[in-house]
Amino acid sequence: MPRPVLLVIAHGSRDPLHAATVHALVRRVRALRPGVRVETGFLDFNIPSVSGVLESLAAEGVRDVVALPLLLTRAFHAKSDIPAVLSEAPARLRLRQADVLGPSPLLTAALERRLYEAGLSPADKSSTGVVLASAGSSDPEAIAVIAEIAREWRRTGWCAVRPAFASASLPRTGDAVRELRALGCARVAVAPYVLAPGFLPDRIARGAAEADVLADVLGASPEVARVLLHRYDAARTPALTAIGA
């Protein structure tokens, strides 16, 4: 029996680096699991659209699809936009919507990877305050998840970890940077908890102007690719427990 097609659903952006980063991540997923067909669809700004990919798959005779939101929290897009698009898919398709990527210890590991790539080392943890900078949401569940990730990450040895948001919620990145300075952290680093470049990641970067270190977006890191596959496995085989998810 063929494995379901994995349809990665990305938000899309006018920034060309957004789509390029999504495609790089999908290539890494394909390399990790060559037996799975992986397609990409965008909700806005980029092509192909999610509905266009679904129509094409149905026309080819594909029956089973796991739709995976390329999102870090369960907010509006995961709860409303994506289900609405999937509800209009061709009737012949058997669709399962996978869970969002976060939270996951693998994503925390990817955040640390990006900080070390930006110049920090494990020896710097106890003297470095980190701003966990996410896109932001008006959804209380999503905000609570980011706050809990910050609390858990602090327990791994950082001087302090503070959440910040590029939109919809407070504090903003710059305010969190100044708060960590006031706490007495020897250095302050900003870790964008976002998957790909775009308008809100640019806002995070501007807010990091007073920080000592600005990490890159999570992008096509191997940890993110592994989370995608864990979510795919859990959706296609509901009884399967994804190890490390």
Side-chain angles (χ1 to χ4, degrees), residues 107-121:
L107 295 177
T108 306
L111 287 166
E112 293 212 1
R113 170 194 289 274
R114 293 305 189 216
L115 286 171
Y116 298 151
E117 289 170 349
L120 293 179
S121 73

Side-chain angles (χ1 to χ4, degrees), residues 76-111:
F76 180 77
H77 293 304
K79 294 178 178 179
S80 181
D81 281 0
I82 292 175
V85 172
L86 297 181
S87 71
E88 299 175 355
R92 67 172 287 117
L93 291 176
R94 288 192 293 260
L95 277 169
R96 281 162 282 185
Q97 182 175 334
D99 202 358
V100 297
L101 303 185
S104 167
L106 286 169
L107 295 177
T108 306
L111 287 166

Side-chain angles (χ1 to χ4, degrees), residues 21-180:
T21 301
V22 171
H23 290 311
L25 175 59
V26 168
R27 286 194 297 272
R28 187 178 285 274
V29 172
R30 289 179 180 138
L32 287 173
R33 193 73 64 85
V36 174
R37 178 176 175 182
V38 187
E39 299 292 341
T40 309
F42 295 90
L43 291 173
D44 205 356
F45 300 116
N46 303 104
I47 56 173
S49 67
V50 175
S51 58
V53 175
L54 292 171
E55 293 283 352
S56 296
L57 291 173
E60 289 180 32
V62 170
R63 293 299 303 275
D64 292 300
V65 177
V66 170
L68 194 154
L70 198 60
L71 300 169
L72 295 171
T73 59
R74 276 183 47 77
F76 180 77
H77 293 304
K79 294 178 178 179
S80 181
D81 281 0
I82 292 175
V85 172
L86 297 181
S87 71
E88 299 175 355
R92 67 172 287 117
L93 291 176
R94 288 192 293 260
L95 277 169
R96 281 162 282 185
Q97 182 175 334
D99 202 358
V100 297
L101 303 185
S104 167
L106 286 169
L107 295 177
T108 306
L111 287 166
E112 293 212 1
R113 170 194 289 274
R114 293 305 189 216
L115 286 171
Y116 298 151
E117 289 170 349
L120 293 179
S121 73
D124 296 321
K125 293 183 75 167
S126 63
S127 59
T128 301
V130 179
V131 177
L132 178 67
S134 76
S137 173
S138 58
D139 188 305
E141 178 187 349
I143 297 305
V145 166
I146 299 300
E148 179 60 22
I149 292 170
R151 283 192 292 270
E152 290 296 320
W153 200 16
R154 162 67 181 84
R155 296 189 179 106
T156 67
W158 295 100
C159 175
V161 180
R162 293 289 186 272
F165 307 95
S167 68
S169 307
L170 296 173
R172 294 289 185 258
T173 302
D175 294 329
V177 169
R178 287 184 284 274
E179 179 188 351
L180 290 172

Side-chain angles (χ1 to χ4, degrees), residues 189-241:
V190 174
Y193 190 58
V194 292
L195 287 163
F199 175 75
L200 293 178
D202 285 347
R203 183 178 287 178
I204 289 171
R206 290 194 295 272
E210 297 177 34
D212 302 293
V213 174
L214 171 62
D216 200 357
V217 298
L218 296 174
S221 63
E223 296 87 355
V224 176
R226 287 169 58 198
V227 176
L228 260 72
L229 289 171
H230 290 327
R231 299 293 182 252
Y232 167 78
D233 288 338
R236 73 183 180 92
T237 313
L240 179 67
T241 299

